[in-house]
Amino acid sequence: MVTQSSVEKFLDDLASGNPTPGGGSAAAIMGAMGAALVSMVCNVTLGKKGYEGVEAEMRAILQESERVRRRLTAMVAEDIAAFNGILAGYKMPKSSDEEKAARASAIQAGLRRATEVPLDCARVCAEVIALARRASEQGYLNVISDGGVGVLAGFTGLRSAALNVYINAPHLKDRAFTEAATAEIESLVGFCAAESEAVYKIVRGKLG
Amino acid sequence: MVTQSSVEKFLDDLASGNPTPGGGSAAAIMGAMGAALVSMVCNVTLGKKGYEGVEAEMRAILQESERVRRRLTAMVAEDIAAFNGILAGYKMPKSSDEEKAARASAIQAGLRRATEVPLDCARVCAEVIALARRASEQGYLNVISDGGVGVLAGFTGLRSAALNVYINAPHLKDRAFTEAATAEIESLVGFCAAESEAVYKIVRGKLG
Protein backbone atom coordinates (compact mmCIF):
# COMPACT_ATOMS: atom_id res chain seq x y z
CA MET A 1 0.00 0.00 0.00
CA VAL A 2 1.51 3.27 -1.18
CA THR A 3 0.37 5.20 1.92
CA GLN A 4 2.44 2.83 4.09
CA SER A 5 5.66 3.89 2.35
CA SER A 6 7.54 6.96 3.59
CA VAL A 7 6.58 10.49 2.56
CA GLU A 8 9.91 10.75 0.69
CA LYS A 9 9.32 7.44 -1.12
CA PHE A 10 5.79 8.54 -2.05
CA LEU A 11 7.19 11.77 -3.51
CA ASP A 12 9.82 9.78 -5.46
CA ASP A 13 7.07 7.51 -6.85
CA LEU A 14 4.92 10.54 -7.75
CA ALA A 15 7.88 12.13 -9.60
CA SER A 16 8.75 8.97 -11.56
CA GLY A 17 7.63 8.20 -15.10
CA ASN A 18 5.29 5.45 -13.83
CA PRO A 19 1.62 6.27 -14.41
CA THR A 20 0.73 5.65 -10.73
CA PRO A 21 0.72 7.25 -8.27
CA GLY A 22 -0.21 10.46 -10.12
CA GLY A 23 -2.47 13.49 -9.72
CA GLY A 24 -5.43 11.40 -8.52
CA SER A 25 -3.44 10.02 -5.60
CA ALA A 26 -2.07 13.49 -4.81
CA ALA A 27 -5.66 14.79 -4.78
CA ALA A 28 -6.73 12.19 -2.18
CA ILE A 29 -3.67 12.91 -0.02
CA MET A 30 -4.29 16.67 -0.10
CA GLY A 31 -7.87 16.00 0.99
CA ALA A 32 -6.58 13.71 3.77
CA MET A 33 -4.13 16.43 4.91
CA GLY A 34 -7.05 18.88 5.03
CA ALA A 35 -9.05 16.45 7.18
CA ALA A 36 -6.01 15.85 9.42
CA LEU A 37 -5.59 19.60 10.00
CA VAL A 38 -9.27 19.91 10.95
CA SER A 39 -8.67 17.10 13.46
CA MET A 40 -5.59 18.96 14.75
CA VAL A 41 -7.64 22.12 15.42
CA CYS A 42 -10.20 20.01 17.34
CA ASN A 43 -7.56 18.05 19.30
CA VAL A 44 -5.72 21.24 20.34
CA THR A 45 -8.96 23.04 21.26
CA LEU A 46 -10.27 20.19 23.45
CA GLY A 47 -9.38 20.92 27.09
CA LYS A 48 -8.26 24.53 26.43
CA LYS A 49 -9.36 27.06 29.04
CA GLY A 50 -12.05 29.34 27.68
CA TYR A 51 -13.16 26.80 25.07
CA GLU A 52 -15.31 24.61 27.37
CA GLY A 53 -18.45 25.80 25.55
CA VAL A 54 -17.38 24.33 22.19
CA GLU A 55 -16.14 20.98 23.53
CA ALA A 56 -19.17 18.97 22.33
CA GLU A 57 -18.96 20.62 18.89
CA MET A 58 -15.21 19.89 18.67
CA ARG A 59 -15.82 16.23 19.53
CA ALA A 60 -18.55 16.02 16.87
CA ILE A 61 -16.31 17.62 14.21
CA LEU A 62 -13.37 15.37 15.18
CA GLN A 63 -15.41 12.21 14.76
CA GLU A 64 -16.38 13.30 11.23
CA SER A 65 -12.92 14.61 10.23
CA GLU A 66 -11.27 11.34 11.30
CA ARG A 67 -13.87 9.37 9.30
CA VAL A 68 -13.26 11.40 6.12
CA ARG A 69 -9.49 11.25 6.67
CA ARG A 70 -9.63 7.43 6.68
CA ARG A 71 -11.87 7.48 3.61
CA LEU A 72 -9.53 9.81 1.65
CA THR A 73 -6.41 7.86 2.66
CA ALA A 74 -8.03 4.66 1.36
CA MET A 75 -8.82 6.43 -1.94
CA VAL A 76 -5.13 6.54 -2.87
CA ALA A 77 -5.18 2.76 -3.37
CA GLU A 78 -8.57 2.98 -5.14
CA ASP A 79 -7.20 5.58 -7.56
CA ILE A 80 -4.21 3.37 -8.40
CA ALA A 81 -6.43 0.28 -8.82
CA ALA A 82 -8.78 2.20 -11.13
CA PHE A 83 -5.91 3.35 -13.35
CA ASN A 84 -4.43 -0.16 -13.43
CA GLY A 85 -7.86 -1.42 -14.53
CA ILE A 86 -7.69 0.77 -17.66
CA LEU A 87 -4.13 -0.40 -18.40
CA ALA A 88 -5.14 -4.07 -17.97
CA GLY A 89 -7.97 -3.47 -20.44
CA TYR A 90 -5.60 -2.06 -23.06
CA LYS A 91 -3.35 -5.11 -22.69
CA MET A 92 -6.15 -7.60 -23.50
CA PRO A 93 -5.94 -9.53 -26.81
CA LYS A 94 -7.75 -8.15 -29.86
CA SER A 95 -7.42 -10.85 -32.54
CA SER A 96 -11.09 -11.81 -32.90
CA ASP A 97 -14.26 -9.72 -32.84
CA GLU A 98 -15.18 -11.34 -29.54
CA GLU A 99 -11.80 -10.42 -28.02
CA LYS A 100 -12.13 -6.88 -29.34
CA ALA A 101 -15.57 -6.53 -27.76
CA ALA A 102 -14.35 -7.92 -24.40
CA ARG A 103 -11.34 -5.57 -24.49
CA ALA A 104 -13.43 -2.48 -25.32
CA SER A 105 -15.84 -3.38 -22.55
CA ALA A 106 -12.98 -3.81 -20.00
CA ILE A 107 -11.49 -0.42 -20.99
CA GLN A 108 -14.91 1.24 -20.59
CA ALA A 109 -15.35 -0.36 -17.15
CA GLY A 110 -11.87 0.87 -16.16
CA LEU A 111 -12.56 4.42 -17.38
CA ARG A 112 -15.86 4.46 -15.52
CA ARG A 113 -14.12 3.46 -12.28
CA ALA A 114 -11.38 6.07 -12.96
CA THR A 115 -14.17 8.67 -13.16
CA GLU A 116 -16.15 7.41 -10.15
CA VAL A 117 -13.13 7.40 -7.77
CA PRO A 118 -12.16 11.09 -8.28
CA LEU A 119 -15.85 12.08 -8.23
CA ASP A 120 -16.14 10.36 -4.85
CA CYS A 121 -12.87 12.00 -3.75
CA ALA A 122 -14.35 15.42 -4.65
CA ARG A 123 -17.53 14.68 -2.65
CA VAL A 124 -15.50 13.79 0.45
CA CYS A 125 -13.22 16.85 0.01
CA ALA A 126 -16.42 18.95 0.09
CA GLU A 127 -17.06 17.44 3.53
CA VAL A 128 -13.54 18.49 4.60
CA ILE A 129 -14.35 22.09 3.62
CA ALA A 130 -17.61 22.08 5.59
CA LEU A 131 -15.80 20.66 8.66
CA ALA A 132 -12.96 23.20 8.27
CA ARG A 133 -15.55 25.99 8.45
CA ARG A 134 -16.94 24.72 11.77
CA ALA A 135 -13.44 24.15 13.21
CA SER A 136 -12.17 27.55 12.05
CA GLU A 137 -15.19 29.43 13.37
CA GLN A 138 -14.94 27.99 16.87
CA GLY A 139 -11.47 26.47 17.33
CA TYR A 140 -8.54 27.69 19.46
CA LEU A 141 -7.21 30.95 18.03
CA ASN A 142 -3.51 29.95 18.09
CA VAL A 143 -4.07 27.08 15.63
CA ILE A 144 -6.49 28.94 13.38
CA SER A 145 -3.91 29.10 10.56
CA ASP A 146 -3.89 25.28 10.60
CA GLY A 147 -7.66 25.35 10.00
CA GLY A 148 -6.97 27.75 7.11
CA VAL A 149 -4.40 25.40 5.57
CA GLY A 150 -6.96 22.60 6.08
CA VAL A 151 -9.61 24.34 3.98
CA LEU A 152 -7.09 25.23 1.24
CA ALA A 153 -5.86 21.61 1.11
CA GLY A 154 -9.45 20.31 1.02
CA PHE A 155 -10.43 22.56 -1.88
CA THR A 156 -7.27 21.79 -3.85
CA GLY A 157 -7.93 18.07 -3.33
CA LEU A 158 -11.41 18.65 -4.77
CA ARG A 159 -10.22 20.70 -7.77
CA SER A 160 -7.46 18.17 -8.46
CA ALA A 161 -9.96 15.31 -8.35
CA ALA A 162 -12.13 17.31 -10.79
CA LEU A 163 -9.24 17.41 -13.30
CA ASN A 164 -9.21 13.60 -13.18
CA VAL A 165 -12.94 13.50 -13.92
CA TYR A 166 -12.40 15.91 -16.85
CA ILE A 167 -9.61 13.80 -18.36
CA ASN A 168 -11.46 10.45 -18.12
CA ALA A 169 -15.17 11.22 -18.53
CA PRO A 170 -15.04 12.33 -22.23
CA HIS A 171 -13.81 8.84 -23.26
CA LEU A 172 -16.84 7.08 -21.78
CA LYS A 173 -19.48 5.77 -24.20
CA ASP A 174 -22.21 5.97 -21.54
CA ARG A 175 -23.13 9.59 -22.26
CA ALA A 176 -25.81 9.78 -19.56
CA PHE A 177 -23.25 8.81 -16.91
CA THR A 178 -20.64 11.24 -18.32
CA GLU A 179 -23.10 14.12 -18.32
CA ALA A 180 -24.30 13.39 -14.79
CA ALA A 181 -20.70 13.08 -13.49
CA THR A 182 -19.62 16.29 -15.23
CA ALA A 183 -22.64 18.22 -13.96
CA GLU A 184 -22.05 17.02 -10.40
CA ILE A 185 -18.34 17.87 -10.43
CA GLU A 186 -19.00 21.35 -11.90
CA SER A 187 -21.56 21.99 -9.20
CA LEU A 188 -19.19 20.79 -6.44
CA VAL A 189 -16.30 22.94 -7.75
CA GLY A 190 -18.52 26.03 -8.02
CA PHE A 191 -20.11 25.70 -4.59
CA CYS A 192 -16.86 24.79 -2.82
CA ALA A 193 -14.82 27.56 -4.50
CA ALA A 194 -17.11 30.12 -2.85
CA GLU A 195 -17.35 28.18 0.41
CA SER A 196 -13.58 27.66 0.81
CA GLU A 197 -12.86 31.35 0.08
CA ALA A 198 -15.44 32.28 2.75
CA VAL A 199 -13.67 30.04 5.30
CA TYR A 200 -10.27 31.43 4.23
CA LYS A 201 -11.61 34.97 4.89
CA ILE A 202 -12.81 33.95 8.38
CA VAL A 203 -9.30 32.62 9.17
CA ARG A 204 -7.49 35.60 7.62
CA GLY A 205 -9.71 37.96 9.61
CA LYS A 206 -8.68 36.28 12.88
CA LEU A 207 -4.94 36.61 12.15
CA GLY A 208 -2.92 39.79 12.70
CA MET B 1 12.93 13.09 10.25
CA VAL B 2 9.17 13.31 9.75
CA THR B 3 9.39 12.84 5.95
CA GLN B 4 10.98 9.43 6.53
CA SER B 5 7.90 8.17 8.37
CA SER B 6 5.02 6.67 6.38
CA VAL B 7 2.36 8.83 4.73
CA GLU B 8 -0.20 7.35 7.16
CA LYS B 9 2.01 8.11 10.19
CA PHE B 10 2.58 11.67 8.92
CA LEU B 11 -1.19 12.16 8.61
CA ASP B 12 -1.67 10.78 12.15
CA ASP B 13 0.96 13.22 13.48
CA LEU B 14 -0.67 16.10 11.57
CA ALA B 15 -4.08 15.23 13.08
CA SER B 16 -2.76 14.97 16.66
CA GLY B 17 -2.90 17.72 19.27
CA ASN B 18 0.88 18.20 19.09
CA PRO B 19 1.88 21.59 17.66
CA THR B 20 4.16 20.01 15.02
CA PRO B 21 3.83 18.95 12.30
CA GLY B 22 1.09 21.51 11.45
CA GLY B 23 0.02 23.71 8.57
CA GLY B 24 3.58 24.86 7.80
CA SER B 25 4.74 21.29 7.22
CA ALA B 26 1.62 20.55 5.15
CA ALA B 27 2.43 23.64 3.03
CA ALA B 28 5.95 22.37 2.27
CA ILE B 29 4.65 18.89 1.41
CA MET B 30 1.99 20.27 -0.93
CA GLY B 31 4.71 22.28 -2.67
CA ALA B 32 6.88 19.16 -2.89
CA MET B 33 3.95 17.20 -4.37
CA GLY B 34 3.53 19.96 -6.95
CA ALA B 35 7.24 19.73 -7.87
CA ALA B 36 7.02 15.91 -8.02
CA LEU B 37 4.08 16.11 -10.46
CA VAL B 38 6.04 18.51 -12.69
CA SER B 39 8.86 15.93 -12.65
CA MET B 40 6.34 13.20 -13.53
CA VAL B 41 5.14 15.13 -16.60
CA CYS B 42 8.80 15.52 -17.72
CA ASN B 43 9.71 11.89 -17.03
CA VAL B 44 6.69 10.58 -18.94
CA THR B 45 7.24 12.98 -21.87
CA LEU B 46 10.93 12.09 -22.29
CA GLY B 47 11.26 9.45 -25.01
CA LYS B 48 7.63 9.77 -26.21
CA LYS B 49 7.16 9.69 -29.98
CA GLY B 50 6.25 13.11 -31.33
CA TYR B 51 7.82 14.91 -28.37
CA GLU B 52 11.46 14.77 -29.55
CA GLY B 53 11.45 18.54 -30.08
CA VAL B 54 10.80 19.33 -26.39
CA GLU B 55 13.29 16.81 -24.97
CA ALA B 56 15.95 19.41 -24.04
CA GLU B 57 13.29 21.62 -22.44
CA MET B 58 11.87 18.65 -20.47
CA ARG B 59 15.36 17.80 -19.18
CA ALA B 60 15.92 21.42 -18.13
CA ILE B 61 12.55 21.59 -16.32
CA LEU B 62 13.20 18.21 -14.63
CA GLN B 63 16.54 19.33 -13.24
CA GLU B 64 14.87 22.38 -11.67
CA SER B 65 11.75 20.57 -10.44
CA GLU B 66 13.86 17.91 -8.70
CA ARG B 67 15.97 20.65 -7.07
CA VAL B 68 12.91 22.48 -5.72
CA ARG B 69 11.33 19.17 -4.64
CA ARG B 70 14.40 18.40 -2.48
CA ARG B 71 14.34 21.95 -1.09
CA LEU B 72 10.63 21.79 -0.17
CA THR B 73 10.96 18.32 1.38
CA ALA B 74 13.79 19.61 3.59
CA MET B 75 11.60 22.55 4.66
CA VAL B 76 9.31 20.23 6.63
CA ALA B 77 12.12 19.69 9.17
CA GLU B 78 13.00 23.43 9.07
CA ASP B 79 9.38 24.35 9.82
CA ILE B 80 9.29 21.99 12.82
CA ALA B 81 12.67 23.27 14.11
CA ALA B 82 11.50 26.89 13.80
CA PHE B 83 8.35 26.17 15.81
CA ASN B 84 10.30 24.26 18.45
CA GLY B 85 12.61 27.30 18.70
CA ILE B 86 9.66 29.47 19.78
CA LEU B 87 8.51 26.86 22.31
CA ALA B 88 12.05 26.56 23.74
CA GLY B 89 12.10 30.36 24.15
CA TYR B 90 8.83 30.33 26.10
CA LYS B 91 10.22 27.64 28.43
CA MET B 92 13.28 29.73 29.43
CA PRO B 93 13.48 31.04 33.03
CA LYS B 94 12.19 34.55 33.77
CA SER B 95 13.14 35.22 37.40
CA SER B 96 15.59 38.09 36.86
CA ASP B 97 15.56 41.02 34.42
CA GLU B 98 18.51 39.44 32.62
CA GLU B 99 16.67 36.14 32.26
CA LYS B 100 13.57 37.98 31.04
CA ALA B 101 15.59 39.83 28.40
CA ALA B 102 17.31 36.62 27.23
CA ARG B 103 13.95 34.87 27.06
CA ALA B 104 12.27 37.68 25.10
CA SER B 105 15.20 37.74 22.71
CA ALA B 106 15.04 33.96 22.16
CA ILE B 107 11.28 34.13 21.49
CA GLN B 108 11.83 36.94 18.97
CA ALA B 109 14.58 34.93 17.23
CA GLY B 110 12.23 31.91 17.09
CA LEU B 111 9.37 33.97 15.67
CA ARG B 112 11.67 35.48 13.06
CA ARG B 113 12.76 32.00 11.93
CA ALA B 114 9.11 30.86 11.94
CA THR B 115 8.40 33.75 9.53
CA GLU B 116 11.49 33.26 7.34
CA VAL B 117 10.86 29.52 6.74
CA PRO B 118 7.30 29.90 5.33
CA LEU B 119 8.41 32.98 3.35
CA ASP B 120 11.12 30.86 1.78
CA CYS B 121 8.61 28.04 1.24
CA ALA B 122 6.36 30.50 -0.63
CA ARG B 123 9.25 31.65 -2.84
CA VAL B 124 10.09 28.06 -3.81
CA CYS B 125 6.38 27.24 -4.42
CA ALA B 126 6.37 30.18 -6.88
CA GLU B 127 9.15 28.33 -8.75
CA VAL B 128 6.95 25.20 -8.83
CA ILE B 129 4.17 27.23 -10.50
CA ALA B 130 6.55 28.62 -13.15
CA LEU B 131 7.88 25.11 -13.87
CA ALA B 132 4.33 23.69 -14.01
CA ARG B 133 3.52 26.26 -16.72
CA ARG B 134 6.43 25.11 -18.91
CA ALA B 135 5.65 21.40 -18.32
CA SER B 136 1.92 21.87 -18.98
CA GLU B 137 2.48 23.90 -22.16
CA GLN B 138 4.75 21.32 -23.76
CA GLY B 139 4.37 18.01 -21.92
CA TYR B 140 2.73 14.76 -23.09
CA LEU B 141 -1.01 15.30 -23.47
CA ASN B 142 -2.07 12.14 -21.56
CA VAL B 143 -0.44 13.35 -18.32
CA ILE B 144 -1.52 16.97 -18.66
CA SER B 145 -3.98 16.63 -15.75
CA ASP B 146 -0.99 15.72 -13.55
CA GLY B 147 0.63 19.04 -14.55
CA GLY B 148 -2.65 20.72 -13.60
CA VAL B 149 -2.69 19.07 -10.16
CA GLY B 150 0.98 20.13 -9.85
CA VAL B 151 0.18 23.82 -10.31
CA LEU B 152 -2.80 23.64 -7.91
CA ALA B 153 -0.64 21.93 -5.26
CA GLY B 154 2.15 24.50 -5.76
CA PHE B 155 -0.18 27.45 -5.34
CA THR B 156 -1.90 25.95 -2.29
CA GLY B 157 1.52 25.32 -0.76
CA LEU B 158 2.29 29.01 -1.34
CA ARG B 159 -1.01 30.28 0.10
CA SER B 160 -0.68 27.94 3.09
CA ALA B 161 2.86 29.19 3.75
CA ALA B 162 1.50 32.75 3.55
CA LEU B 163 -0.96 31.98 6.38
CA ASN B 164 2.04 31.01 8.52
CA VAL B 165 3.72 34.33 7.73
CA TYR B 166 0.49 36.16 8.66
CA ILE B 167 0.18 34.37 12.03
CA ASN B 168 3.81 34.92 13.10
CA ALA B 169 4.92 38.24 11.58
CA PRO B 170 2.64 40.51 13.66
CA HIS B 171 4.37 39.37 16.89
CA LEU B 172 7.82 40.48 15.71
CA LYS B 173 9.28 43.63 17.26
CA ASP B 174 11.48 44.28 14.20
CA ARG B 175 8.83 46.23 12.30
CA ALA B 176 11.01 46.83 9.23
CA PHE B 177 11.47 43.07 8.80
CA THR B 178 7.76 42.40 9.40
CA GLU B 179 6.72 44.97 6.82
CA ALA B 180 9.19 43.70 4.23
CA ALA B 181 8.11 40.07 4.80
CA THR B 182 4.41 40.96 4.61
CA ALA B 183 4.89 43.03 1.45
CA GLU B 184 6.84 40.23 -0.24
CA ILE B 185 4.30 37.54 0.67
CA GLU B 186 1.37 39.68 -0.52
CA SER B 187 3.15 40.28 -3.80
CA LEU B 188 3.91 36.54 -4.24
CA VAL B 189 0.30 35.55 -3.45
CA GLY B 190 -1.09 38.15 -5.88
CA PHE B 191 1.22 37.31 -8.77
CA CYS B 192 0.95 33.54 -8.31
CA ALA B 193 -2.86 33.56 -7.95
CA ALA B 194 -3.11 34.97 -11.48
CA GLU B 195 -0.27 32.81 -12.81
CA SER B 196 -1.60 29.53 -11.41
CA GLU B 197 -5.11 30.23 -12.75
CA ALA B 198 -3.56 30.90 -16.18
CA VAL B 199 -1.75 27.53 -16.06
CA TYR B 200 -4.94 25.81 -14.86
CA LYS B 201 -6.80 27.27 -17.88
CA ILE B 202 -4.11 25.96 -20.26
CA VAL B 203 -4.53 22.47 -18.76
CA ARG B 204 -8.35 22.63 -18.71
CA GLY B 205 -8.33 23.74 -22.35
CA LYS B 206 -6.34 20.66 -23.37
CA LEU B 207 -8.74 18.24 -21.63
CA GLY B 208 -12.05 17.08 -23.16
Side-chain angles (χ1 to χ4, degrees):
Chain A
M1 198 97 93
V2 83
T3 51
Q4 282 164 353
S5 66
S6 75
V7 172
E8 290 180 20
K9 172 76 164 61
F10 173 75
L11 290 167
D12 287 344
D13 291 346
L14 201 58
S16 82
N18 295 327
T20 60
S25 299
I29 289 190
M30 286 192 277
M33 286 206 284
L37 286 162
V38 170
S39 296
M40 179 189 176
V41 172
C42 296
N43 278 320
V44 171
T45 305
L46 283 167
K48 276 280 176 307
K49 216 179 146 180
Y51 288 81
E52 295 82 1
V54 299
E55 200 146 306
E57 169 73 348
M58 288 296 138
R59 283 192 202 287
I61 299 168
L62 181 59
Q63 195 173 350
E64 290 299 296
S65 58
E66 287 297 277
R67 180 183 57 77
V68 301
R69 176 160 79 90
R70 281 191 298 273
R71 186 75 198 88
L72 286 160
T73 305
M75 274 183 196
V76 177
E78 290 172 30
D79 173 74
I80 292 171
F83 193 86
N84 289 341
I86 303 176
L87 289 188
Y90 276 108
K91 281 178 189 158
M92 282 168 72
K94 45 178 178 174
S95 315
S96 66
D97 282 353
E98 271 156 23
E99 281 182 357
K100 275 179 197 162
R103 181 175 175 271
S105 161
I107 293 169
Q108 284 295 310
L111 279 167
R112 181 168 179 136
R113 190 75 194 120
T115 306
E116 284 169 341
V117 172
L119 182 58
D120 209 24
C121 179
R123 288 179 190 130
V124 183
C125 283
E127 292 189 63
V128 173
I129 295 165
L131 293 166
R133 174 189 273 274
R134 289 163 63 190
S136 299
E137 279 174 343
Q138 305 186 55
Y140 184 50
L141 199 60
N142 283 11
V143 288
I144 212 69
S145 65
D146 300 294
V149 176
V151 78
L152 294 176
F155 182 55
T156 298
L158 189 154
R159 256 188 123 184
S160 299
L163 280 175
N164 280 56
V165 172
Y166 298 144
I167 202 170
N168 291 320
H171 304 289
L172 281 165
K173 294 216 164 67
D174 182 345
R175 301 313 299 168
F177 172 78
T178 301
E179 278 163 31
T182 308
E184 184 179 349
I185 202 78
E186 292 289 359
S187 155
L188 277 170
V189 169
F191 175 77
C192 291
E195 185 64 11
S196 60
E197 282 310 303
V199 180
Y200 177 84
K201 280 208 178 72
I202 292 169
V203 170
R204 187 69 189 87
K206 288 186 179 189
L207 299 174
Chain B
M1 198 97 95
V2 83
T3 51
Q4 282 164 353
S5 66
S6 75
V7 172
E8 290 180 20
K9 172 77 164 58
F10 172 76
L11 290 168
D12 286 344
D13 291 347
L14 201 58
S16 83
N18 295 327
T20 59
S25 298
I29 289 191
M30 285 192 278
M33 285 204 286
L37 286 162
V38 170
S39 296
M40 178 189 178
V41 173
C42 297
N43 278 320
V44 171
T45 305
L46 282 166
K48 274 281 176 308
K49 217 180 144 178
Y51 288 81
E52 296 82 1
V54 299
E55 201 147 304
E57 168 72 348
M58 288 295 137
R59 282 193 203 286
I61 299 167
L62 181 59
Q63 197 174 348
E64 290 299 296
S65 58
E66 287 297 277
R67 181 182 58 75
V68 302
R69 177 160 79 91
R70 282 191 297 272
R71 186 76 197 90
L72 285 160
T73 305
M75 274 183 194
V76 177
E78 290 172 29
D79 173 73
I80 292 171
F83 193 87
N84 289 342
I86 303 176
L87 288 189
Y90 276 108
K91 281 178 188 156
M92 283 168 71
K94 46 178 178 173
S95 314
S96 67
D97 283 352
E98 272 156 23
E99 281 182 355
K100 276 179 196 160
R103 181 174 175 273
S105 164
I107 293 168
Q108 283 294 310
L111 279 167
R112 183 168 177 135
R113 191 75 195 120
T115 306
E116 284 169 340
V117 172
L119 183 58
D120 209 24
C121 179
R123 289 180 190 128
V124 183
C125 283
E127 292 188 62
V128 172
I129 295 165
L131 293 166
R133 175 189 272 274
R134 289 162 64 190
S136 300
E137 278 174 344
Q138 305 186 55
Y140 184 51
L141 199 61
N142 283 11
V143 287
I144 212 67
S145 65
D146 301 293
V149 176
V151 78
L152 294 176
F155 182 55
T156 299
L158 189 155
R159 256 187 125 183
S160 299
L163 280 175
N164 280 57
V165 172
Y166 299 142
I167 201 169
N168 290 320
H171 303 289
L172 280 164
K173 294 216 163 69
D174 182 345
R175 300 313 300 166
F177 171 79
T178 301
E179 278 163 29
T182 308
E184 184 180 348
I185 202 78
E186 292 289 358
S187 155
L188 276 170
V189 170
F191 176 77
C192 291
E195 184 65 10
S196 60
E197 282 310 304
V199 181
Y200 177 84
K201 281 208 178 71
I202 291 168
V203 170
R204 189 67 189 87
K206 289 186 179 189
L207 299 174

